[in-house]
Amino acid sequence: MRTIILASKNKGKIKEIKELLDEYDLEIKSLFDYEEIPEIEETGITFHENAAIKAKTIGDLLNYPVIADDSGLIIDALDGRPGIYSARYAGEPTDDYQNNLKVLKEMESVDEDKRGARFVAVLAFYRPGEEVVFSEGYCEGEITFGERGKHGFGYDPIFIPKGYTKTMAELKDYEKNIISHRAQALHQFKVWLKEHGL
Ligand code: IMP
């Protein structure tokens, strides 16, 4: 069995990525298995840069293959915010509830037909000594006027995926895992793994 580290302490992300990699015979660890590692500063200005920083820092420290996910919500009416600042939009430490309140407040006066948004996930796969490999996924949708649903994490309660009436947080885990940005990015990554005989 091969070991791979998920460079994350976000329980929602870890759960989803583990489920999405279920078909592989992998021992999947996360940063909860390495509590001694301090928080990695995400100093990049793009999702790609931040995913690469996380993957390389952890891969070089632990000498294992790493997957890092940098993701977030891009809202058209807010000029792309919260974007790469999604995790800490309402300040430190990360507080999903406060982040959602802040977005809803900023979107209060935005008309129904101007509430378009998308989730983005960029995955960086790094094997120590090799180049970083990226994959990315998107999920289009719109922002609600209030929170709905208890599943998922982050902005799921205020995001309705395109073609749905339920929020991402009202969908079952397996339903989110079919359409999510993370699922799309992992699908692309699995194709790469297959092409490279891994
Ligand atoms: P990161 O850990 O810097 O990549 O920040 C990711 C942040 O983007 C999370 O803390 C959430 O606020 C948001 N986010 C990313 N993916 C999702 C998702 O699948 N659902 C809801 N929010 C998400």
Side-chain angles (χ1 to χ4, degrees), residues 13 42 70-72 86-87 119 153-156 176 181-182:
K13 273 188 193 176
E42 297 181 23
D70 202 62
S71 45
S86 291
F119 278 124
F153 68 98
Y155 298 97
D156 284 342
K176 176 178 176 183
H181 45 312
R182 196 158 291 106

Side-chain angles (χ1 to χ4, degrees), residues 143-163:
I143 303 299
T144 57
F145 286 90
E147 285 199 85
R148 278 168 21 210
K150 296 270 175 243
H151 297 280
F153 68 98
Y155 298 97
D156 284 342
I158 62 165
F159 182 88
I160 300 178
K162 197 171 176 180

Side-chain angles (χ1 to χ4, degrees), residues 7-10 12-13 16 42 47 50 54 69-73 82-89 94-96 99-100 119-122 152-157 159 168 176 180-182:
S8 180
K9 272 196 174 178
N10 177 320
K13 273 188 193 176
E16 287 178 18
E42 297 181 23
F47 290 110
N50 283 333
K54 290 188 267 192
D69 159 312
D70 202 62
S71 45
L73 178 64
I84 59 165
Y85 304 108
S86 291
R88 294 163 195 84
Y89 196 45
T94 294
D95 183 330
D96 289 343
N99 287 340
N100 285 332
F119 278 124
V120 178
V122 173
F153 68 98
Y155 298 97
D156 284 342
F159 182 88
M168 202 72 124
K176 176 178 176 183
S180 81
H181 45 312
R182 196 158 291 106

Side-chain angles (χ1 to χ4, degrees), residues 5-7 17 50-52 54-55 66-70 122-126:
I5 318 271
L6 300 183
I17 294 173
N50 283 333
K54 290 188 267 192
V66 173
I67 294 178
D69 159 312
D70 202 62
V122 173
L123 297 182
F125 175 56
Y126 176 64

Side-chain angles (χ1 to χ4, degrees), residues 100-170:
N100 285 332
L101 280 191
K102 182 170 177 179
V103 167
L104 289 174
K105 181 106 194 80
E106 289 183 327
M107 294 289 288
E108 218 167 37
S109 58
V110 177
D111 290 346
E112 202 145 349
D113 59 341
K114 296 204 170 52
R115 301 182 71 88
R118 69 207 49 80
F119 278 124
V120 178
V122 173
L123 297 182
F125 175 56
Y126 176 64
R127 288 175 292 174
E130 299 193 22
E131 292 287 308
V132 176
V133 174
F134 294 101
S135 65
E136 57 195 65
Y138 299 89
C139 181
E140 294 288 335
E142 59 185 54
I143 303 299
T144 57
F145 286 90
E147 285 199 85
R148 278 168 21 210
K150 296 270 175 243
H151 297 280
F153 68 98
Y155 298 97
D156 284 342
I158 62 165
F159 182 88
I160 300 178
K162 197 171 176 180
Y164 287 72
T165 51
K166 289 179 178 176
T167 67
M168 202 72 124
E170 290 175 311

